Amino acid sequence: MNVVLESVSGAGIKRRAKRQTVMNSLLENRWVKGALVSGPLLILLIGFLAIPLSYIVWGSFEGAKFDFSHYARVFSSETNLNVLFYTLRIGLIVTVVSLAAGYPVAYLLTKLKSRSLSTVSIFLLVPLFTAFLIRTYAWMIILGREGIINNALIWMGVIHEPLTLLNTTFAVVVGMAHVFIPTAIFTMYSSMVRIDHDVARAAQILGAKPVQAFLRVYFPLTLPGIFSAGVLIFISAIGFYITPALLGGPSDTMISQLIVAQMTTLLNFELGYASSIVLLLVTIAILFLASLFIPLEMIWSSSTVALSDEEPRAAARLLKKVKRSIDPLLYAVEASVHFATRPILTRSARWLWAYTILMLVFLTAPLIVVVILSFSSSPFVVFPPPGFSLRWWEKLANATEWHQSFFFSVQLGIAAACVATIIGTMGAFWLVRTKFLFKKALFLFALSPLMVPVVIIATSLYVFEAKLRILGTFGGLVMGHVLLAVPYVIVVMAAALRNFDESLEPAAAVHGARPLQTLRFVTLPILKPALLTAGLLAFLTSFDELLVGIFLLGRQTPTLPIKFWGDIAYQVDPLLSTASTLIVVLVTASIIAVQFIRERHNVRTSNNIAE
């Protein structure tokens, strides 16, 4: 018997060795390796983005009929035009507010050392990765007629009756700015951190006032980062759905809400297609204008473009000429600003710290309110709570519908994160390690799901998966989430690969390691922190997604965002706060764990280098 077992195990080992030999020989061929690595990403983008989009383009003019009357209805209807212009206006306001509020914080982050940077980053990352629905729900509590702001103003005697804050444009702007300020901070920081602060100090040594050194030397160097953040926020804001739907009134309808209503309520699919294409064309026009100022790939991955490598764009050169023509006015403004800010422009940067703390309070306070309300003894949402109670936690522990939605969302998120991390990592290797024509164009194509508003992706996948008869299946839902998550994986892994010491791989090969062994024992262990970060980003992207779920879910168990959405539409009670608190705790724990792993990896790497 032992002889038989040994022969069987020996045969299995030989088969595995033979398969590995075949795979290693294939990987040594540049063309085969490129096809294997790039294939999954190209199949995903062509099969689940390009082809579905072509379906709604074709359907918007009813195919061979070439009936463009639906586009005429979009532009001839006063209501539709008002919605479009309102969307653009809100997008612009939110963009300006987010950039202005986030710039000082991003500037301070460039001055912080590693430990302080990690601490501040956690306070920014927790609201950034907390679900949009939870943050919007928190603002519903804060801005309501019986909300925190109205109760506080009445208690102080400032007003005698509640103000109408909820269901207004003000509420929409505040809620959306709360969502996008962390995005603005990290996008600007990724560009600003590469700027040497000594250039501004050198200007002051040569006689420039602090304001002049900042406005004429440092600030112009940060403009590409500001512009990148602005474009990213604007194209995201004009396709936003959750916050305007919950915080706005009937007059605050945005185009994404209009498309969802046309597709799900009115069942006017052709008009929904036409509205989607109009939004897509607006997005393309914005990106085209942005390309006149900065390389588009810099918007999502600033590390792909060196500050000094790119020639100034035509529009940027035009702006320089305009700037020279208004120099006298600029001198007057600089003198006034210098006089007004001289007391606070000190090397200690206390005002920057004070402002950053206020901004962190603004970003985290809504989440703290939600946590406090989860322990309320009141059957209603009242702040401050009249007493302490665990009744809502007990109710959540017995709420089987919430359990099913939570575990289904976790299952969906893990599946989407695993697939997206594999596809995105392979795609990042292909885009970074391979030399070919149109590399920048293919990098942008890989990030295109971030450029297309989610409502358009959801609409196109709905039509495409219905034709494939996978609509309402778990696999179809996973692929929709994978499509949205893959670009984040590519951005993270591409940045990690550019900082990777490629000499380690030839060194492993010299010592006899085959390609698969080098990948398994050298490359992937070094990239482990980036892989964990990319996987977490993919998971949280899936866990937070609402629109794709609404369109593709079918009769499956509602995901957690859809469960939230349904309950918020009918009732607002502390049970929602309890469920939100649980998610906030999980998100916080995940972020702290990833930060801890990254720091340990960096310390271990630096110790190995020192040895």
Side-chain angles (χ1 to χ4, degrees):
M1 181 62 116
N2 291 333
V3 173
V4 173
L5 290 175
E6 287 176 2
S7 63
V8 171
S9 62
I13 292 171
K14 288 180 180 178
R15 283 196 297 270
R16 285 197 298 272
K18 186 177 180 181
R19 284 198 297 267
Q20 288 181 359
T21 302
V22 172
M23 183 61 70
N24 282 318
S25 62
L26 287 174
L27 291 176
E28 288 172 358
N29 186 300
R30 185 166 64 92
W31 296 103
V32 173
K33 182 179 178 181
L36 289 174
V37 174
S38 64
L41 178 63
L42 293 177
I43 291 171
L44 175 72
L45 294 174
I46 295 172
F48 287 88
L49 182 65
I51 295 176
L53 284 176
S54 69
Y55 270 100
I56 65 169
V57 171
W58 185 252
S60 66
F61 48 80
E62 298 190 32
K65 292 182 180 179
F66 291 99
D67 181 4
F68 291 92
S69 61
H70 305 294
Y71 289 95
R73 289 177 61 187
V74 171
F75 292 105
S76 62
S77 169
E78 184 179 352
T79 300
N80 290 340
L81 279 178
N82 288 338
V83 168
L84 179 60
F85 289 136
Y86 176 80
T87 300
L88 296 174
R89 181 164 62 90
I90 290 297
L92 183 60
I93 293 172
V94 169
T95 300
V96 173
V97 170
S98 301
L99 294 177
Y103 188 92
V105 181
Y107 178 74
L108 178 65
L109 291 181
T110 62
K111 291 176 167 288
L112 297 182
K113 295 181 179 179
S114 178
R115 189 173 296 275
S116 299
L117 179 62
S118 297
T119 303
V120 176
S121 295
I122 289 173
F123 283 96
L124 293 171
L125 289 169
V126 170
L128 176 64
F129 290 122
T130 301
F132 295 149
L133 271 169
I134 294 175
R135 287 183 275 176
T136 304
Y137 163 70
W139 282 107
M140 292 173 68
I141 297 171
I142 294 171
L143 299 174
R145 287 185 62 83
E146 299 295 327
I148 298 172
I149 293 178
N150 274 318
N151 287 341
L153 292 176
I154 291 173
W155 179 76
M156 290 186 294
V158 177
I159 58 175
H160 299 290
E161 59 182 28
L163 300 173
T164 304
L165 300 176
L166 197 59
N167 304 126
T168 62
T169 301
F170 169 77
V172 173
V173 171
V174 170
M176 291 179 67
H178 184 265
V179 167
F180 288 118
I181 285 174
T183 302
I185 291 171
F186 283 116
T187 305
M188 289 188 289
Y189 166 75
S190 65
S191 175
M192 294 164 65
V193 72
R194 296 180 294 152
I195 300 172
D196 190 351
H197 286 279
D198 287 338
V199 294
R201 296 192 189 99
Q204 293 185 50
I205 291 172
L206 293 172
K209 298 174 182 176
V211 171
Q212 288 177 318
F214 177 79
L215 292 179
R216 289 184 173 268
V217 179
Y218 185 82
F219 182 73
L221 294 175
T222 65
L223 286 176
I226 296 172
F227 203 79
S228 299
V231 173
L232 177 60
I233 292 169
F234 188 76
I235 63 176
S236 300
I238 61 175
F240 219 56
Y241 178 76
I242 294 172
T243 304
L246 293 178
L247 298 183
S251 61
D252 301 301
T253 301
M254 295 181 68
I255 194 167
S256 57
Q257 298 167 259
L258 192 64
I259 294 170
V260 172
Q262 289 165 348
M263 295 289 295
T264 61
T265 305
L266 303 176
L267 301 181
N268 192 338
F269 294 107
E270 289 77 14
L271 185 59
Y273 299 158
S275 300
S276 298
I277 297 305
V278 168
L279 178 58
L280 181 60
L281 291 174
V282 170
T283 304
I284 292 171
I286 293 166
L287 291 172
F288 173 75
L289 291 175
S291 69
L292 300 177
F293 295 89
I294 57 171
L296 284 182
E297 62 270 23
M298 186 178 179
I299 297 173
W300 292 273
S301 183
S302 62
S303 60
T304 61
V305 181
L307 288 174
S308 58
D309 288 348
E310 287 283 331
E311 283 288 326
R313 301 287 164 126
R317 292 196 296 269
L318 178 62
L319 285 179
K320 283 187 176 181
K321 293 179 181 179
V322 172
K323 178 178 172 293
R324 290 194 197 100
S325 66
I326 61 171
D327 266 350
L329 178 62
L330 185 61
Y331 276 117
V333 171
E334 285 173 352
S336 303
V337 173
H338 173 70
F339 181 77
T341 59
R342 186 167 50 185
I344 61 174
L345 289 178
T346 60
R347 287 188 177 272
S348 62
R350 291 178 181 174
W351 74 273
L352 265 179
W353 270 108
Y355 177 84
T356 300
I357 291 171
L358 286 175
M359 190 55 58
L360 294 179
V361 169
F362 170 76
L363 294 174
T364 57
L367 304 183
I368 295 172
V369 168
V370 167
V371 173
I372 293 173
L373 284 174
S374 69
F375 298 98
S376 174
S377 61
S378 171
F380 308 104
V381 175
V382 180
F383 195 92
F388 177 86
S389 174
L390 295 175
R391 59 181 292 191
W392 298 108
W393 286 96
E394 294 173 0
K395 188 173 181 178
L396 182 65
N398 297 318
T400 55
E401 291 183 356
W402 282 94
H403 300 169
Q404 291 171 356
S405 294
F406 175 77
F407 288 116
F408 182 75
S409 289
V410 170
Q411 180 186 359
L412 176 63
I414 292 174
C418 290
V419 177
T421 303
I422 293 171
I423 294 176
T425 301
M426 293 171 68
F429 268 95
W430 176 56
L431 291 167
V432 173
R433 295 285 182 86
T434 311
K435 294 181 180 180
F436 48 81
L437 293 174
F438 311 115
K439 188 171 182 176
K440 288 185 178 180
L442 285 170
F443 184 79
L444 289 175
F445 182 52
L447 301 183
S448 55
L450 293 178
M451 307 179 200
V452 181
V454 176
V455 67
I456 299 176
I457 292 177
T459 303
S460 61
L461 286 175
Y462 174 76
V463 177
F464 180 66
E465 293 192 0
K467 291 185 179 294
L468 292 181
R469 296 185 179 180
I470 61 172
L471 183 65
T473 65
F474 184 74
L477 188 58
V478 167
M479 293 313 297
H481 284 220
V482 167
L483 181 65
L484 296 178
V486 157
Y488 295 103
V489 177
I490 291 174
V491 168
V492 173
M493 296 309 300
L497 286 168
R498 289 188 184 94
N499 295 323
F500 184 84
D501 185 0
E502 294 187 35
S503 64
L504 296 174
E505 293 173 332
V510 168
H511 287 84
R514 303 301 296 274
L516 285 177
Q517 290 176 315
T518 302
L519 178 67
R520 181 181 173 186
F521 296 110
V522 178
T523 308
L524 292 182
I526 294 174
L527 295 174
K528 184 171 68 173
L531 285 167
L532 286 172
T533 302
L536 178 63
L537 272 173
F539 176 82
L540 293 175
T541 300
S542 169
F543 199 78
D544 190 27
E545 183 49 47
L546 174 68
L547 277 177
V548 168
I550 289 175
F551 278 89
L552 305 185
L553 185 69
R555 296 182 179 180
Q556 300 177 86
T557 303
T559 61
L560 202 59
I562 293 177
K563 176 65 177 170
F564 262 102
W565 182 260
D567 280 27
I568 288 175
Y570 291 105
Q571 60 180 354
V572 177
D573 61 28
L575 181 62
L576 291 173
S577 301
T578 309
S580 302
T581 300
L582 179 62
I583 294 172
V584 170
V585 170
L586 293 175
V587 169
T588 305
S590 301
I591 290 171
I592 292 174
V594 170
Q595 290 282 84
F596 178 73
I597 292 170
R598 287 174 65 90
E599 286 190 8
R600 282 192 61 187
H601 178 81
N602 292 336
V603 170
R604 191 182 301 117
T605 303
S606 61
N607 289 339
N608 291 338
I609 293 172
E611 291 174 0

